[in-house]
Amino acid sequence: MSTDLVLVAKFGAPHGVRGEVRVKSYTQDPAAILDYSPLQSRDGRLYTVTNVRPAGEVLVARIAELTDRTAAEAVTNMQLFVPRDRIPPADDEDEFLHADLIGLKVETLTGEPVGTVTAVYDFGAGDVIDVARKGQKAVMIPFTKTVVPSVDIAGGRIVIDPPEGLLEETPRDPEDRD
């Protein structure tokens, strides 16, 4: 898959019998996935979003290519992408695409290497970055201006000012997978 694609949503379970499907949107405004239509699967198939409505934590979407429940069941958990050039630039210099953060090197204010960003999560209390560390357990770091004072995407690095104890040496269990 090209790195010029950005993950914007994921199909969930079918909704009803007419081909509607639940959608988890990763865009700042969840309904914006309608504006990005058509959405592309990892294997290149296109899905045209014709309507969305909120349904709790997700959206229920009508997708032109999904005409019945069987078709909707076939795409459950499918990730959906759009070309990067269709994403407008951020209004705020402190807004970043998750895709741009993943893979960046993480170091402390003093330049000490910490690891590499492997994922960005939002469990409800704000974004956290998951940082893989050599020979140690990964660490979740709050993605706040206080803890992450500098993000240099062009330079491929994030500088952190970790709270005391966050980076304590924690040997990695040999049973853990990378």
Side-chain angles (χ1 to χ4, degrees):
M1 186 182 73
S2 168
T3 56
D4 289 345
L5 294 177
V6 176
L7 177 66
V8 294
K10 179 178 171 180
F11 283 142
H15 182 83
V17 295
R18 295 195 176 105
E20 287 186 317
V21 65
R22 288 173 180 85
V23 175
K24 172 68 176 162
S25 175
Y26 301 123
T27 56
Q28 187 167 12
D29 170 13
I33 65 162
L34 191 58
D35 302 330
Y36 294 128
S37 182
L39 307 178
Q40 180 178 332
S41 66
R42 195 175 293 278
D43 64 8
R45 289 179 286 169
L46 297 177
Y47 294 92
T48 309
V49 182
T50 60
N51 186 33
V52 296
R53 66 182 187 276
E57 304 258 327
V58 297
L59 300 169
V60 171
R62 165 116 10 233
I63 308 295
E65 294 77 10
L66 306 179
T67 56
D68 59 28
R69 186 175 181 88
T70 303
E73 286 171 348
V75 298
T76 299
N77 293 324
M78 178 181 286
Q79 293 180 322
L80 300 162
F81 303 84
V82 295
R84 179 180 293 279
D85 60 14
R86 286 186 31 218
I87 305 235
D91 296 332
D92 181 349
E93 67 181 32
D94 290 331
E95 285 182 22
F96 305 96
L97 294 174
H98 289 187
D100 289 339
L101 298 174
I102 294 170
L104 294 183
K105 299 293 179 205
V106 178
E107 60 186 50
T108 64
L109 291 171
T110 59
E112 180 184 339
V114 175
T116 304
V117 177
T118 56
V120 182
Y121 300 109
D122 183 351
F123 298 116
D127 287 340
V128 293
I129 53 175
D130 191 8
V131 178
R133 303 186 294 168
K134 263 193 179 21
Q136 298 181 50
K137 287 189 183 268
V139 63
M140 297 273 210
I141 298 174
F143 193 67
T144 64
K145 194 71 173 160
T146 304
V147 180
V148 183
S150 173
V151 176
D152 178 6
I153 290 174
R157 71 187 188 117
I158 290 177
V159 175
I160 64 168
D161 185 7
E164 184 146 348
L166 183 69
L167 300 179
E168 282 182 6
E169 295 289 320
T170 315
R172 187 171 64 100
D173 185 328
E175 300 292 312
D176 286 349
R177 294 183 329 159
D178 285 332

